[in-house]
Amino acid sequence: MGMWPMDWEMDHDSLISAGSALQKLRMYPYFDVAHYLLMCESVRADLGSSSLPFSRRHPFSCWLSSMLMCFAGGLLACFMLGEPVITPFRRHDDILLASLVWYGVFYSPFDIVHKLISLKLVKVVVSIAKEVQRTHKISHGVAYAAKLYPESYMVQVLVGVAKGAGSGVVKIVEQMKFQLVRGTWIPSQHEMLRPSFTTKACVVAALVFTLERNSMYVTAPHDLVYLVGISIFS
Amino acid sequence: MGMWPMDWEMDHDSLISAGSALQKLRMYPYFDVAHYLLMCESVRADLGSSSLPFSRRHPFSCWLSSMLMCFAGGLLACFMLGEPVITPFRRHDDILLASLVWYGVFYSPFDIVHKLISLKLVKVVVSIAKEVQRTHKISHGVAYAAKLYPESYMVQVLVGVAKGAGSGVVKIVEQMKFQLVRGTWIPSQHEMLRPSFTTKACVVAALVFTLERNSMYVTAPHDLVYLVGISIFS
Amino acid sequence: MGMWPMDWEMDHDSLISAGSALQKLRMYPYFDVAHYLLMCESVRADLGSSSLPFSRRHPFSCWLSSMLMCFAGGLLACFMLGEPVITPFRRHDDILLASLVWYGVFYSPFDIVHKLISLKLVKVVVSIAKEVQRTHKISHGVAYAAKLYPESYMVQVLVGVAKGAGSGVVKIVEQMKFQLVRGTWIPSQHEMLRPSFTTKACVVAALVFTLERNSMYVTAPHDLVYLVGISIFS
């Protein structure tokens, strides 16, 4: 018990270095792949049992839906900040990577990609990677908005949330589209009225990053905040 | 009868000075409060009998809907002019004021704010204040668009209308959302096909301000035009 | 048979000069009129049998729908590139011309404009003129996007498609609106899931123009490419 402060000190140090290491991770390509995988899988889930026939009959539409989901956060943030909404489509390697993932999810031989992700263990690993990427995006969104609007915390939080939870908003539109087409409209579990846990967690994370950046209440080292941000989601 | 021209002269003078006084009025905070009050009340009316339970179960969603309605004009005008749609959320005091009003309308003890506004007399006073604010917004919208596009009257009118009647457009989306969730879709009395009287009055007012600004047909003093603008709505 | 290469040579020359002539054609007013005519006719078709009573009861709403369809390509392209979406409404003569056409389609005495366009021959001529204008717009969209984003082919193709097939996207929203109001929702033949042949052709044309502009694979003279672009649609 007497060792506890020291223990904590050690933990503290190792936590900070873990946060620092996580922050310097390049998102491209591994973490981005995790994000794209989960987004394409969610499009596939939204399409329901008709997902494979649909992807064969309307590949272009399927691709567009997947791309909109994959780049939803960037699209929404650009729209909010008055930047060209086409910006996320500028980088060829991002689009290419997302397209490859989309192809894998919908057209892989023996449906192997989909079956692999459906495994519990793989799903957990991919989800953790995705949450690391989400924290990265929220942190970047807040930092970017803070550069443009240094005095407006509200805007910083909103852009952070848009970056992190943008796919939730685009998902509503997509689901509505699919359900209208199938003639079934089940408005039960969507983001519209009941922001999901993810969205709420994004609000908290964006708030934490914003407060930290404006060094008002959060005096912890940035690396630690970053790690906490990630652990909120994981 | 012989005194009539003089009478009119006096009226004219007093009207001009009234218009001038109205124009110099600061909108913040009293007139803005009137606008926010009516907008939050309209969100509450859209939610119908389930408004209070809804506001308890989904406070964040309720707050977001109210904010979207309160700042609808600015959002739409920014979208049209290619400026960041987040601009209306930049000023903290506006957001704070609107949030306070929202809190009052939905959560005040004994529902006192709602009951007060439901009184005929209070409603009339608040509505007049709101129309003064609306005229102010249309006039500013036209002036702002005229600075950016001095030669395009069409754009000036459109931006003026968006500023004044923006909440009507956002209201459609909100109503659709609420009704879809409740499983009832009554597409009877909405702005979509039948622009309301308010929207039409906004078109007229924006037209008058635009013509006056480009000094084509309207040679009346600006203050008088302003007063007429207000009286259109009141 | 030995003369074939020379024949082709002559054809080639005459094709190039035809393409060059077509490219220098001013779109305003004749080709634009063709486009506006078909767009207003399509709004009228969407309104179904109630189109004439509707246009009498809600002229402003009808006019707005028609304008949105007429300038859909420009609106979408502006939105994508982060420019003011109001830009297409800046030029008075465009708006005036489109309004005149709208007036003719909905209110002409004895419905003569509508009856004329319904004639097979007139329809073919108008459609060809419209496709010439469409090619012009795609080519300009690609060129404009290429100036802003010289290295991003994806963006150039997307903006080209938006310019050419933008009315298809706006049409969905309009149809949804009209059908919701009439209480009938027939989600059978719309652009949402099944991009029409036109949209696909736009993708091909935008792709061709983009590749040509970046001189990667298409080495044919620009005039020839232009002519091929037109003939894809006609």
Side-chain angles (χ1 to χ4, degrees):
Chain A
M1 281 289 270
M3 294 300 282
W4 188 79
M6 201 175 180
D7 252 340
W8 189 84
E9 200 69 18
M10 281 170 68
D11 266 356
H12 190 222
D13 276 7
S14 68
L15 277 175
I16 288 185
S17 64
S20 163
L22 269 173
Q23 229 188 325
K24 280 180 202 127
L25 270 179
R26 284 179 59 236
M27 287 301 113
Y28 180 85
Y30 300 113
F31 292 89
D32 284 348
V33 162
H35 172 64
Y36 299 151
L37 269 174
L38 288 179
M39 288 298 111
C40 290
E41 278 292 317
S42 110
V43 169
R44 195 172 153 154
D46 283 348
L47 282 166
S49 56
S50 64
S51 65
L52 287 191
F54 178 85
S55 72
R56 261 67 179 177
R57 259 181 296 134
H58 310 298
F60 181 73
S61 173
C62 178
W63 176 81
L64 199 66
S65 288
S66 303
M67 290 304 111
L68 284 179
M69 284 294 283
C70 286
F71 298 101
L75 287 171
L76 250 176
C78 282
F79 175 65
M80 279 172 146
L81 292 170
E83 290 172 11
V85 291
I86 216 156
T87 314
F89 293 104
R90 281 182 69 181
R91 296 196 49 220
H92 285 156
D93 33 6
D94 286 353
I95 292 282
L96 221 71
L97 190 64
S99 299
L100 278 178
V101 169
W102 162 78
Y103 189 85
V105 167
F106 281 97
Y107 303 95
S108 64
F110 309 112
D111 216 6
I112 199 165
V113 173
H114 174 67
K115 276 175 192 153
L116 266 176
I117 301 176
S118 305
L119 293 178
K120 195 86 181 171
L121 185 73
V122 181
K123 190 142 210 167
V124 166
V125 171
V126 169
S127 296
I128 289 175
K130 191 217 143 84
E131 297 309 335
V132 171
Q133 199 240 17
R134 193 200 294 276
T135 315
H136 187 84
K137 282 202 292 187
I138 297 177
S139 157
H140 270 234
V142 169
Y144 188 71
K147 235 181 287 170
L148 295 176
Y149 302 101
E151 82 297 337
S152 181
Y153 308 139
M154 186 80 197
V155 170
Q156 297 170 26
V157 172
L158 282 176
V159 171
V161 172
K163 275 270 199 178
S167 52
V169 176
V170 173
K171 202 191 175 106
I172 304 169
V173 180
E174 293 289 309
Q175 277 183 340
M176 211 191 296
K177 207 177 79 177
F178 292 141
Q179 291 184 350
L180 279 174
V181 166
R182 280 184 295 168
T184 60
W185 170 260
I186 315 136
S188 53
Q189 72 272 35
H190 42 67
E191 200 87 351
M192 265 201 280
L193 290 184
R194 260 166 288 197
S196 68
F197 169 72
T198 313
T199 309
K200 282 175 185 163
C202 282
V203 174
V204 172
L207 217 61
V208 168
F209 282 126
T210 304
L211 290 179
E212 188 235 351
R213 175 159 287 277
N214 299 286
S215 57
M216 281 162 65
Y217 305 112
V218 186
T219 51
H222 180 64
D223 295 337
L224 196 57
V225 171
Y226 197 84
L227 198 67
V228 170
I230 288 176
S231 55
I232 290 177
F233 296 112
S234 307
Chain B
M1 279 291 270
M3 294 301 279
W4 188 81
M6 203 177 178
D7 252 341
W8 188 84
E9 200 69 19
M10 281 169 70
D11 266 357
H12 191 222
D13 275 8
S14 68
L15 278 175
I16 287 186
S17 63
S20 164
L22 268 173
Q23 227 186 327
K24 280 177 202 128
L25 271 180
R26 284 178 61 235
M27 287 302 113
Y28 181 84
Y30 301 112
F31 292 89
D32 282 348
V33 162
H35 171 64
Y36 299 150
L37 269 174
L38 290 180
M39 287 299 111
C40 290
E41 279 292 317
S42 110
V43 168
R44 196 174 152 152
D46 283 348
L47 282 166
S49 55
S50 65
S51 63
L52 286 192
F54 179 85
S55 72
R56 262 67 178 176
R57 259 182 297 132
H58 309 300
F60 181 72
S61 174
C62 178
W63 176 80
L64 199 67
S65 289
S66 303
M67 290 305 110
L68 284 179
M69 284 294 284
C70 286
F71 298 100
L75 288 170
L76 250 175
C78 282
F79 175 65
M80 278 172 148
L81 292 169
E83 290 172 10
V85 292
I86 215 155
T87 313
F89 293 104
R90 281 183 69 182
R91 296 195 50 220
H92 286 157
D93 33 6
D94 287 354
I95 293 281
L96 221 70
L97 190 63
S99 299
L100 278 178
V101 169
W102 162 79
Y103 190 85
V105 167
F106 281 97
Y107 303 95
S108 65
F110 309 114
D111 217 6
I112 198 164
V113 173
H114 175 66
K115 277 175 192 155
L116 267 175
I117 302 175
S118 304
L119 293 177
K120 196 86 181 171
L121 185 72
V122 181
K123 190 142 211 168
V124 166
V125 171
V126 169
S127 297
I128 288 175
K130 191 219 142 84
E131 297 309 336
V132 171
Q133 198 239 19
R134 194 201 293 276
T135 316
H136 188 84
K137 283 201 293 188
I138 298 177
S139 157
H140 269 236
V142 169
Y144 188 72
K147 236 180 286 171
L148 294 176
Y149 302 100
E151 81 297 335
S152 182
Y153 308 138
M154 185 79 196
V155 170
Q156 297 170 26
V157 172
L158 282 176
V159 171
V161 173
K163 276 268 200 178
S167 53
V169 176
V170 173
K171 201 193 175 103
I172 305 169
V173 180
E174 292 290 310
Q175 278 183 341
M176 211 190 298
K177 208 177 78 176
F178 292 141
Q179 291 183 351
L180 279 175
V181 166
R182 281 184 295 167
T184 60
W185 170 259
I186 315 136
S188 53
Q189 71 272 32
H190 43 67
E191 200 88 348
M192 265 203 280
L193 290 184
R194 259 167 288 196
S196 69
F197 169 72
T198 313
T199 310
K200 282 175 185 161
C202 282
V203 174
V204 172
L207 218 61
V208 168
F209 282 125
T210 305
L211 291 178
E212 189 234 351
R213 174 158 287 276
N214 299 286
S215 58
M216 281 163 65
Y217 304 112
V218 184
T219 52
H222 179 64
D223 294 336
L224 197 57
V225 171
Y226 197 84
L227 198 66
V228 170
I230 288 176
S231 55
I232 290 176
F233 295 111
S234 307
Chain C
M1 281 291 268
M3 293 302 278
W4 189 78
M6 200 176 183
D7 251 340
W8 188 84
E9 199 70 20
M10 282 170 68
D11 266 357
H12 191 222
D13 277 7
S14 69
L15 276 175
I16 286 185
S17 63
S20 163
L22 267 173
Q23 229 187 326
K24 280 180 203 126
L25 269 178
R26 284 179 60 236
M27 286 302 113
Y28 181 86
Y30 301 112
F31 291 89
D32 282 349
V33 162
H35 171 63
Y36 298 150
L37 269 175
L38 289 179
M39 287 299 111
C40 290
E41 279 292 318
S42 109
V43 169
R44 196 174 152 150
D46 282 348
L47 282 167
S49 56
S50 64
S51 64
L52 287 191
F54 179 85
S55 71
R56 261 67 178 177
R57 260 182 296 134
H58 309 299
F60 181 72
S61 173
C62 177
W63 176 80
L64 199 66
S65 288
S66 303
M67 288 306 110
L68 284 178
M69 285 292 286
C70 286
F71 298 100
L75 287 171
L76 250 175
C78 281
F79 176 65
M80 279 171 145
L81 292 170
E83 291 172 11
V85 291
I86 215 155
T87 314
F89 293 105
R90 281 184 68 181
R91 296 195 50 221
H92 287 156
D93 34 6
D94 286 354
I95 293 281
L96 222 69
L97 190 64
S99 298
L100 278 177
V101 169
W102 162 79
Y103 190 85
V105 167
F106 281 97
Y107 304 95
S108 64
F110 308 114
D111 217 5
I112 199 165
V113 173
H114 175 66
K115 276 175 191 154
L116 265 175
I117 301 176
S118 304
L119 292 178
K120 195 87 182 172
L121 186 72
V122 181
K123 188 140 211 169
V124 166
V125 171
V126 169
S127 297
I128 289 176
K130 191 217 142 88
E131 296 310 336
V132 171
Q133 198 240 18
R134 194 201 293 276
T135 316
H136 187 83
K137 282 200 293 187
I138 297 177
S139 158
H140 270 234
V142 169
Y144 188 71
K147 236 179 287 169
L148 294 176
Y149 302 100
E151 81 298 337
S152 180
Y153 308 139
M154 185 78 196
V155 170
Q156 297 170 27
V157 172
L158 281 176
V159 172
V161 172
K163 276 269 201 180
S167 53
V169 176
V170 174
K171 202 194 176 104
I172 304 169
V173 180
E174 292 290 310
Q175 277 183 341
M176 209 189 299
K177 206 177 78 177
F178 292 141
Q179 292 183 351
L180 277 176
V181 167
R182 281 184 296 169
T184 59
W185 170 259
I186 315 137
S188 53
Q189 72 270 31
H190 43 69
E191 200 88 350
M192 265 203 279
L193 290 183
R194 260 166 287 198
S196 68
F197 170 72
T198 314
T199 310
K200 282 175 185 162
C202 281
V203 174
V204 172
L207 217 60
V208 169
F209 282 125
T210 304
L211 291 177
E212 190 233 351
R213 175 158 285 275
N214 299 286
S215 57
M216 281 160 66
Y217 304 111
V218 184
T219 51
H222 179 64
D223 295 338
L224 197 57
V225 171
Y226 197 85
L227 198 66
V228 171
I230 289 176
S231 55
I232 289 175
F233 295 111
S234 308

